[in-house]
Amino acid sequence: MTPPLPSTGRARRAPARVFSCVLLALGVFGFAAAWVLVALSSGRLGSWMAILGAIDIVIVLRLGGWRPGPARALLAAVATACIAILAIWWIIAAHLGAMLGLTPWGSAVRLGFHHAWTLAGIAIGPIDLLWMAASVVLAAVASR
């Protein structure tokens, strides 16, 4: 009779990795939704929320069990950029939807890339870009 092979632990880590990815996706979409609510209630873009989004992503990655290093720093930077892109897309869609009698999610799926790019270019100023760039750098540095 042959002895059983030692377990590598991969079977036990697979559900944890899926949970970590779901947690990260919920963090990105949830914070983008919070940013949209702040922007719509204040009537301003609220680009300072990007810094809070970076902090949120850093915490989510640590709670999700992602290993420290350059890969986690890159993932944090990309996730923070995704929060900003989603939030701005939804803010533009909500404003257009209100003018056209559509719901924000109905307007978001109809909004074209070129139209959104044009409206974002009008709405986003240099200070807003600075907040967003600083948030990406903060996420990368804080999650190393």
Side-chain angles (χ1 to χ4, degrees), residues 48-110:
W48 55 270
M49 288 286 290
I51 297 291
L52 297 179
I55 295 169
D56 179 57
I57 290 300
V58 168
I59 292 170
V60 164
L61 289 176
R62 287 185 182 170
L63 289 176
W66 294 87
R67 294 182 187 202
R72 186 167 84 176
L74 179 65
L75 185 62
V78 169
T80 303
C82 285
I83 286 175
I85 291 168
L86 278 173
I88 291 170
W89 185 277
W90 288 343
I91 291 166
I92 291 170
H95 282 291
L96 282 177
M99 288 186 284
L100 299 174
L102 297 170
T103 60
W105 52 89
S107 177
V109 296
R110 290 181 175 92

